[in-house]
């Protein structure tokens, strides 16, 4: 197809530097129709050279096949202008994305110098990597990751990271978090700082950012991390816990809340299940919450017993009348908590030199099909056997004897045992020698719980 | 105008879908990527939300806000600083010649949360680009100015609210600039619609001026429409005028679509009659005389406010460009020393307001003021520049860089008794308003030693005073390598500059 306006042909274009050129190009730009074909042909046959001003006008009129054609031409040039691809490649287009992938998929080995014709010049790779991300095709993820991690010049790794940035929401989330978290620890702040900034843009960013605080980052990157965390302030938390008889709060939980408040930089309050909801909930809510803030309600309960099924919904309802509440599942259902229990049990078995014995999880008796399903899942995830343990003095005394001297009637009780209790209670008080301290007095579990709670929004 | 002519690509895109309807879909757009972002959405419609696709950095966007009357709070500035800080090296903010801010280097993923945060922070970026009513400007010293005739802030606020409200225009034929004057130095004749304070029968109100604009093809100062309005009429009148423009403006030729072309087509008297009919409220004829009598003050340095014991401190922002750290510090200073409010000027500078007498000295000793100086050289004080080739493909010269370099060079050579308004622009599109400068500089090409080289056209004589005048061409093309020499001579001969003594004397 020929242009309808022959006076706007390439041959008429005033030369670079000519005083008439700017006006001519602006008029070309204002033409209602512009057929790029003669322009592409002129470039391909060498009768026209491309300059940024002409490119700015042409690029607006290129459809996807034309943009790819121009890119292919550019790639053949002995000295390609690194500024061209970003101007040309504005459409998201399958063929263009496939071409980019083809150029970059071999990874940094394509930068080899042995085969000058097929080798990928650094300048070309650096120009194409951001655009590969801009195309937002998930197939590009491993390629970008490979360039980003490779031991190559920083500008190339940065170009790959820029590609990651420009397609951010498309990449597989867990791999993205892992890749960026690793890069945040890179010795080169030019890579580490943008990695932190990208992590901060992901949904639930605190979960990814908080662990970086303990990673010994470059001071400038650590400052940046501090700014990103400050911009996503933590919600105030209400931790719903088992109180002790008489409504007292166990010391382990009080200490946990205090440390957590420090680490999150936001209020953390405890509410004992046994106690009635504070009479002054509205006042407490307004003291805890800034306007527009949400209250995170976390049941630090290990089992789906009657408290979780009945009391908890009542507490949530009560607070919801005065604040926007984000209600988290009870702690016993958190997969990372369950995995930590499994680790603790495995360590216990090793300490007791009974690696073959199936460890025990001693828990308060539960009723109902939900509880049964939960215990089965917990057994599967931890490898332990759940043993219901009534807290009556008589029963605990009996259990003490059995655990101290297991006999043939109950061989399973010869195994190491862990009490399913966060803080000291009658079970851990009475059977201290047999079951050891409650879970929050065990450093691994306490640290994990703190880290998990710290990373909540 | 041929009513049967096929509408342009831009007009088609605007008619098919209004960019404002994209707002609820922004989150999805970010996660789906570009499927739903066809070329027209990407480059045209998103501008209705204030989001600009940048062809030089596809995937990194610009967001232009609206800051009515150039007023911004420390909290708002801090919010914006955080946004560009997250963009690392790619992030920056420009103070624009419309007392506004635009942020660069943002990702598509930033948009949905940013728009929410803007709303929560009392800001908006709505309709700040393309064929929309742009940021409405007013007296940067409104409410604090000892010379104030009328406080423009509430008027500007109401006009913005009306234009962005349900009856406001969504599909103008072209961009549209509105401004309200409130002081004797409110020069606003470069706007499509300017309201200048004027008296009528002893009552203070506004005379209406229309049709001002600058472009590569034509430059016009606004002309009196011959109407006088009471302050409370400004918002409804503006809406009526814009709705008229929306219906009758030229949609066939974009380079002939600014308001002045419609006025030419109808004739000023017929145009006024149509507006009076559309407005449907009593208005008074007026001769166009007004209370604006001199060129704008720079506002730089320490000045007493009309409130006893309070001052504003005007800081020079080189070429209007701010980074995240400077924005953070600026916000902190406004909070620590003032009331937490800042103003932005058309000369791309920032003012901290409400500083008590006993805090001035401490504020002046702050390290940030070494960079954003209250007392820049007379050469730097009133220099304005367009974006230039870092972000604009049409630039014939790297505008900001050249301007900075030449001014620094001149500072070494000469002393200038009074600030000279120098307006730098990268190409004839004239975004840097070269015709308003006492000296205007425009990117060009020129021949030197047989070679075509980067150059600048020089314009002289722009006046924003009682006798407003556009600058006229003085030099067709001075090679950039000779520019400092030529400007030095000009400043010595025509602006009272003196050569500095060589060092050591
Ligand atoms: S004047 Fe020219 S170079 Fe400057 S911003 Fe406008 S179009 Fe770009």
């Amino acid at each position: 197809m020929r242009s309808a306006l022959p006076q706007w042909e390439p041959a008429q274009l005033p030369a670079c530097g000519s005083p008439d050129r700017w006006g001519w190009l602006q008029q070309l730009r204002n033409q209602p129709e512009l057929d790029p074909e003669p322009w592409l042909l002129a470039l391909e046959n060498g009768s026209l050279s491309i300059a940024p001003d002409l490119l700015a006008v042409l690029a607006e009129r290129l459809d996807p096949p034309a943009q790819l054609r121009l890119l292919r031409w550019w790639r053949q040039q002995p000295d390609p202008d690194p500024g061209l691809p970003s101007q040309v490649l504005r459409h998201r287009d399958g063929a263009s994305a496939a071409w980019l992938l083809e150029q970059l998929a071999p990874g940094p080995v394509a930068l080899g110098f042995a085969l000058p014709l097929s080798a990928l010049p650094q300048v070309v790779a650096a120009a194409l990597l951001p655009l590969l991300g801009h195309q937002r095709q998930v197939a590009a993820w491993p390629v970008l990751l490979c360039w980003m991690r490779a031991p190559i010049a920083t500008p190339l790794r940065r170009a790959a990271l820029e590609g990651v940035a420009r397609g951010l929401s498309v990449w597989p989330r867990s791999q993205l978090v892992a890749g960026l978290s690793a890069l945040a620890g890179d010795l080169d702040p030019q890579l580490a700082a943008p990695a932190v900034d990208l992590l901060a843009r992901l949904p639930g960013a605190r979960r990814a950012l908080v662990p970086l605080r303990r990673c010994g980052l470059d001071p400038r990157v650590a400052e940046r991390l501090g700014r990103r965390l400050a911009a996503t302030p933590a919600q105030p938390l209400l931790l719903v816990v088992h109180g002790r008889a008489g409504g007292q709060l166990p010391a382990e939980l009080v200490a946990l809340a205090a440390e957590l408040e420090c680490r999150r930089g936001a209020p953390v309050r405890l509410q004992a299940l046994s106690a009635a909801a504070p009479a002054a909930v509205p006042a407490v809510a307004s003291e805890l919450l800034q306007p527009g803030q949400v209250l995170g309600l976390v049941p630090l309960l290990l089992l789906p017993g009657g408290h979780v099924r009945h009391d908890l919904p009542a507490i949530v309802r009560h607070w919801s009348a005065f604040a926007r509440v984000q209600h988290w599942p009870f702690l016993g259902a958190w997969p990372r908590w369950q995995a930590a229990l499994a680790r603790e049990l495995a360590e216990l078995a090793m300490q007791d030199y009974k690696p073959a014995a199936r460890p025990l999880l001693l828990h308060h008796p539960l009723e109902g099909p939900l509880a049964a399903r939960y215990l089965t899942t917990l057994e599967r995830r931890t490898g332990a056997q759940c043993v219901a343990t009534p807290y009556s003095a008589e029963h605990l005394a009996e259990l003490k004897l059995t655990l101290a001297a297991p006999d043939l009637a109950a061989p399973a009780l010869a195994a190491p045992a862990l009490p399913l209790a966060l803080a000291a209670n009658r079970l851990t008080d009475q059977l201290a020698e047999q079951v050891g301290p409650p879970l929050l007095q065990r450093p691994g579990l306490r640290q994990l719980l703190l880290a998990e709670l710290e990373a909540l929004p | 105008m041929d009513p049967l002519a096929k509408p342009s690509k831009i007009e088609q895109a605007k008619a098919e879908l209004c960019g404002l309807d994209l707002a609820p879909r922004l989150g999805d757009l970010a996660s789906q990527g570009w499927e739903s972002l066809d070329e027209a959405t990407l480059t045209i419609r998103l501008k209705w939300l204030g989001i600009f696709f940048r062809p030089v950095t596809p995937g990194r966007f610009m967001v232009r806000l609206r800051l009515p009357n150039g007023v911004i709070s420390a909290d708002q500035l801090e919010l914006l600083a955080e946004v560009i800080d997250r963009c690392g090296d790619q992030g920056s903010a420009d103070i624009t010649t419309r007392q506004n801010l635009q942020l660069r280097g943002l990702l598509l993923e930033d948009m949905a949360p940013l728009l929410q945060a803007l709303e929560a922070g009392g800001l908006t970026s709505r309709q700040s680009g393309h064929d929309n009513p742009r940021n409405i400007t007013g007296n940067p010293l409104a409410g604090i100015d000892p010379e104030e005739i009328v406080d423009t802030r509430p008027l500007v606020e109401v006009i913005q609210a009306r234009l962005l409200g349900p009856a406001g225009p969504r599909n103008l034929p072209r961009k549209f600039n509105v401004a309200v004057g409130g002081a004797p130095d409110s020069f606003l004749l470069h706007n499509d619609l300017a309201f200048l304070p004027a008296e009528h029968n002893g009552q203070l109100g506004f005379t209406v001026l229309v049709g001002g604009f600058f472009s590569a093809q034509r430059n016009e100062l606004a002309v009196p429409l011959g109407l006088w309005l009471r302050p409370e009429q400004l918002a409804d009148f503006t809406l009526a005028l814009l709705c008229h423009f929306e219906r009758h403006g030229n949609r066939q030729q974009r380079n002939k679509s600014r308001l002045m072309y419609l006025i030419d087509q109808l004739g000023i008297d017929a145009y006024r009659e149509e507006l009076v009919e559309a407005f449907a409220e009593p208005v008074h004829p007026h001769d166009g005389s007004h209370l604006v009598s001199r060129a704008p003050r720079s506002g730089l340095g320490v000045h007493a406010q009309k409130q006893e014991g309070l001052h504003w401190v005007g800081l020079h922002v080189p070429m209007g460009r701010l980074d995240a750290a400077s924005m953070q510090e600026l916000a902190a200073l406004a909070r620590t020393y003032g009331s937490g409010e800042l103003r932005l000027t058309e000369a791309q500078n920032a003012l901290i307001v409400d500083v008590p007498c006993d805090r001035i000295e401490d504020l002046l000793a702050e390290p940030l003021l070494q960079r954003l100086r209250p007392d820049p050289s007379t050469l730097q004080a009133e220099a304005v520049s367009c974006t230039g080739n870092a972000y604009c493909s049409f630039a014939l010269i790297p505008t900001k860089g050249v301007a900075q370099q030449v001014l620094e060079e001149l500072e070494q050579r000469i002393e200038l008794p009074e600030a000279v308004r120098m307006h730098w622009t990268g190409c004839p599109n004239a975004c840097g308003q070269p015709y308003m400068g006492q000296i205007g500089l425009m990117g060009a090409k020129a021949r030197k030693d047989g070679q075509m080289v980067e150059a600048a056209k020089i314009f002289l004589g722009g006046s924003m005073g009682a006798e407003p005048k556009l600058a006229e061409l003085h030099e067709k093309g001075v090679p950039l390598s000779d520019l400092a020499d030529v400007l030095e001579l000009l400043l010595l001969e025509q602006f009272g500059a003196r050569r500095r003594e060589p060092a050591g004397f």
Side-chain angles (χ1 to χ4, degrees):
Chain A
M1 191 174 51
R2 302 291 298 164
S3 165
L5 299 150
Q7 70 267 39
W8 301 113
E9 292 283 339
Q12 314 295 326
L13 173 67
C16 270
S18 155
D20 302 329
R21 184 176 165 104
W22 189 91
W24 197 94
L25 280 170
Q26 290 296 312
Q27 281 181 283
L28 178 69
R29 183 169 177 245
N30 288 329
Q31 295 307 311
E33 305 290 335
L34 195 160
D35 179 7
E37 179 63 26
W39 296 91
L40 291 171
L41 264 179
L43 282 175
E44 286 161 350
N45 68 25
S47 62
L48 177 72
S49 62
I50 194 97
D53 55 355
L54 170 61
L55 189 62
V57 175
L58 277 187
E60 291 176 356
R61 307 299 184 106
L62 299 178
D63 61 8
Q67 79 178 16
L68 181 53
R69 186 169 150 195
L70 188 50
L71 273 180
R72 288 183 192 279
W73 167 83
W74 170 82
R75 177 72 178 87
Q76 299 308 316
Q77 300 310 296
D79 193 10
D81 167 14
L84 182 140
S86 66
Q87 290 236 39
V88 170
L89 235 175
R90 51 174 72 188
H91 296 278
R92 183 170 186 255
D93 159 59
S96 301
W99 181 81
L100 283 169
L101 204 53
E102 188 190 312
Q103 304 296 309
L104 295 164
V109 290
L111 297 171
F113 300 100
L115 303 163
L117 282 179
S118 61
L120 189 66
Q122 289 209 11
V123 57
V124 169
L128 297 186
L129 281 162
L131 299 174
L132 180 62
H134 170 65
Q135 290 290 319
R136 295 184 171 235
Q137 302 242 341
V138 76
W141 166 247
V143 177
L144 289 170
L145 190 64
C146 166
W147 283 88
M148 199 167 83
R149 282 178 173 167
I152 48 177
T154 299
L156 280 167
R157 296 180 69 197
R158 282 206 75 178
L161 185 56
E162 181 61 16
V164 171
R166 296 199 195 172
L168 193 64
S169 45
V170 180
W171 317 127
R173 187 60 50 81
S174 58
Q175 291 178 37
L176 175 65
V177 170
L180 292 175
S181 299
L183 202 60
D186 198 282
L187 291 178
D188 188 342
Q190 286 192 62
L191 293 160
V196 167
D197 291 333
L198 291 179
L199 282 170
R201 288 174 161 101
L202 301 178
R206 286 186 63 85
R207 178 166 291 284
L209 293 179
V210 165
L212 296 179
R213 285 213 288 225
R214 288 181 284 279
C215 287
L217 303 180
D218 175 284
R220 280 161 296 175
V221 180
E223 255 178 44
R224 183 164 279 272
L225 173 65
R227 295 203 295 276
R228 296 296 80 85
L229 278 167
T232 46
Q235 294 168 355
L237 288 186
L238 183 73
L239 308 179
V240 180
V241 298
H242 283 288
R244 298 217 61 165
Q248 288 232 314
L249 289 165
E252 298 92 329
L253 287 163
V254 174
L256 179 93
E259 186 171 349
L260 188 59
E261 183 162 286
C262 234
R263 281 165 64 157
R264 284 175 63 85
V268 177
R269 297 282 181 278
L270 291 168
Q271 181 176 340
L273 268 172
S274 46
V281 163
V284 177
S286 64
E287 174 207 314
L288 283 182
L289 299 165
Q290 307 281 339
Q293 254 188 336
V294 174
L295 177 70
L297 192 146
V298 189
L300 290 189
L301 307 174
L302 299 180
L303 298 162
H307 289 310
V308 166
R309 294 203 307 277
H310 308 300
D311 303 348
L312 203 52
I315 293 176
V316 173
R317 268 198 308 279
H318 196 82
W319 281 89
S320 300
F322 306 102
R324 272 171 54 215
V325 173
Q326 183 172 18
H327 176 196
W328 295 91
F330 72 99
L331 175 62
W334 296 9
R336 281 186 235 242
W337 172 258
Q338 294 171 348
L341 278 181
R343 280 196 300 276
E344 186 74 18
L345 286 161
E347 272 171 31
L348 218 54
M350 295 301 289
Q351 282 167 16
D352 284 8
Y353 304 104
K354 293 171 185 162
R358 190 176 176 201
L360 305 178
L361 277 173
L362 306 183
H363 64 88
H364 196 272
L366 295 173
E367 283 172 10
L370 171 70
R373 274 208 309 280
Y374 171 76
L375 291 173
T376 311
T377 307
L378 192 63
E379 286 187 335
R380 200 177 61 245
R381 298 224 171 121
T382 59
Q385 181 188 350
C386 293
V387 178
T389 314
Y391 285 6
S392 69
E394 181 192 351
H395 196 93
L396 287 176
E398 190 181 318
L399 183 64
K400 187 172 182 175
L401 285 174
T402 322
L403 287 171
D407 60 19
L408 289 177
L413 297 187
L418 201 58
L420 265 186
L422 278 182
N425 63 9
R426 264 177 289 160
L427 170 71
T428 58
D429 286 352
Q430 219 163 313
L431 274 66
E433 271 178 34
Q434 288 73 30
V435 301
L439 303 183
L440 274 186
Q441 290 182 24
R442 296 165 185 264
L445 287 167
R446 185 173 190 278
Q447 281 317 317
L448 174 110
L449 183 57
L450 265 173
E452 289 295 304
L453 291 170
E454 187 186 1
L456 287 181
Chain B
M1 257 186 291
D2 175 5
L4 298 178
K6 196 173 145 206
S8 69
K9 222 172 87 179
I10 292 175
E11 285 299 328
Q12 279 177 42
K14 291 189 322 183
E16 275 164 23
L17 172 69
C18 172
L20 292 176
D21 297 333
L22 294 168
R25 290 175 47 212
L26 265 186
D28 291 345
L29 287 178
S31 54
Q32 289 161 15
W34 311 91
E35 275 99 304
S36 355
L37 285 188
D38 54 278
E39 175 78 1
T41 298
L42 196 62
T43 58
I44 299 173
R45 295 190 188 107
L46 279 178
K47 290 182 183 161
W48 265 247
L49 301 176
I51 300 170
F52 292 65
F53 174 81
R54 306 314 299 151
V56 185
T57 53
R60 291 277 181 181
F61 291 77
M62 183 183 95
V63 167
R64 183 183 294 149
L65 302 172
R66 298 188 79 95
L67 298 176
N69 212 121
V71 180
I72 187 166
S73 71
D75 289 355
Q76 291 170 331
L77 193 62
E78 231 163 35
L79 184 157
L80 302 175
E82 160 65 20
V83 171
I84 60 165
D85 190 27
R86 279 208 281 169
C87 301
D89 301 352
Q90 315 240 13
S92 68
D94 290 329
I95 303 177
T96 74
T97 51
R98 294 204 65 76
Q99 299 181 291
N100 201 358
L101 274 174
Q102 51 195 29
L103 316 177
R104 294 179 185 279
L106 285 80
L107 298 174
L108 198 54
E109 280 78 4
D110 293 331
M111 296 308 162
L114 171 61
L115 264 48
Q116 266 174 18
L118 291 182
E119 200 183 330
L123 291 166
T124 182
S125 59
R126 193 182 140 136
Q127 289 179 271
S128 57
H130 221 284
D131 297 345
N132 278 298
R134 303 297 183 81
N135 191 45
I136 303 168
T137 59
N139 176 13
L141 304 169
I144 59 171
D145 188 354
E147 298 185 44
E148 181 166 75
I149 302 166
V150 56
D151 184 348
T152 54
R153 289 171 303 172
L155 301 167
V156 168
E157 288 278 358
V158 182
I159 298 173
Q160 166 159 311
R162 199 64 46 89
L163 295 186
L164 302 190
R170 289 174 152 221
N171 183 3
L172 293 176
R174 200 74 159 88
K175 72 171 170 179
F176 199 96
N177 293 329
V178 182
V180 183
D185 65 340
S186 292
F187 179 89
L188 299 170
L189 301 186
H190 49 300
N191 287 275
D192 295 278
L193 172 59
F195 297 110
L196 296 189
E199 285 185 349
H200 176 71
N201 291 341
Q203 205 188 339
L204 184 62
F206 292 88
T207 194
V208 184
L209 293 108
V210 287
F213 79 109
F214 300 146
S215 76
Q217 292 81 30
R218 185 174 172 187
N219 303 294
E220 295 289 349
L221 292 176
V223 295
L225 180 63
L227 291 180
W228 180 91
L229 300 172
R230 295 191 311 277
E232 62 273 21
Q233 289 182 306
L234 297 195
D236 284 338
F237 182 82
T238 306
L239 183 61
L241 187 146
L242 276 163
C243 291
H244 179 274
F245 181 53
E246 191 171 34
R247 280 195 305 278
H248 301 289
N250 182 349
R251 289 181 190 269
Q252 267 82 42
Q253 298 153 287
R254 282 189 70 73
N255 56 358
K256 295 204 169 133
S257 54
R258 292 294 288 266
L259 179 67
M260 188 54 112
Y261 290 98
L262 177 62
I263 299 171
D264 285 350
Q265 185 204 327
L266 297 174
I268 188 85
D269 295 331
Y271 179 58
R272 179 176 55 246
E273 271 169 38
E274 289 192 17
L275 287 184
V276 169
E277 197 181 318
F279 184 44
E281 263 187 49
V283 287
H284 299 279
H286 195 255
D287 62 4
S289 60
H290 50 74
L291 302 171
V292 174
S293 55
R294 57 173 211 262
R297 287 159 286 176
S298 77
L300 298 176
V302 180
H303 302 268
Q305 293 183 190
K306 70 177 177 188
Q307 293 85 359
E308 177 123 13
L310 294 181
H311 294 75
W312 82 79
V313 179
L315 304 180
H316 177 248
V317 180
M319 298 298 147
R321 175 136 313 156
L322 289 166
D323 58 18
S326 304
M327 284 164 82
Q328 287 279 6
E329 286 176 55
L330 203 49
L333 295 187
R335 214 180 269 129
T336 310
Y337 296 99
S339 56
E341 186 179 293
L342 297 112
R343 307 289 179 88
L344 305 181
T345 72
E346 283 192 302
Q348 302 173 312
N349 294 320
L351 319 178
I352 294 176
V353 304
D354 302 328
V355 183
C357 298
D358 58 353
R359 303 290 281 143
I360 292 174
E361 212 171 302
D362 289 349
L363 171 55
L364 294 179
E366 286 284 348
L368 180 69
L369 273 62
Q370 296 302 314
R371 274 180 289 144
L372 310 187
R373 299 193 61 88
D375 56 350
S377 76
T378 40
L379 279 156
Q380 300 267 3
E382 300 203 28
V384 168
S385 161
C386 81
T387 301
N389 69 349
Y391 299 106
C392 178
S393 308
F394 300 118
L396 290 163
I397 56 171
T399 325
K400 280 193 197 284
V402 169
Q404 202 55 44
Q405 203 183 327
V406 169
L407 293 177
E408 280 167 17
E409 173 77 37
L410 288 171
E411 275 171 345
Q412 306 287 321
R413 301 189 194 175
I414 56 170
E415 279 173 277
L416 192 62
E418 270 178 42
V420 171
R421 259 178 302 104
M422 258 195 232
H423 284 232
W424 297 75
T425 203
C427 79
N429 281 337
C431 305
Q433 305 170 332
Y435 309 105
M436 281 168 56
Q438 287 166 284
I439 300 177
L441 296 121
M442 178 188 285
K445 299 285 174 196
R447 196 167 287 281
K448 184 176 185 186
D449 304 331
Q451 299 277 327
M452 287 312 287
V453 293
E454 289 182 333
K457 289 183 184 175
I458 299 181
F459 296 81
L460 282 186
S463 166
M464 300 199 233
E467 302 283 326
K469 190 167 159 297
L470 294 178
E472 283 171 14
L473 187 61
H474 171 74
E475 288 269 6
K476 262 172 67 182
V478 178
L480 294 187
S481 51
D482 302 340
L483 192 56
D485 296 343
V486 172
L487 284 174
E488 179 184 353
L489 213 57
L490 205 59
L491 290 163
L492 288 168
E493 287 173 358
Q494 299 197 25
F495 293 88
R498 277 199 317 269
R499 280 216 168 83
R500 281 187 194 281
E501 294 291 326
F505 283 80

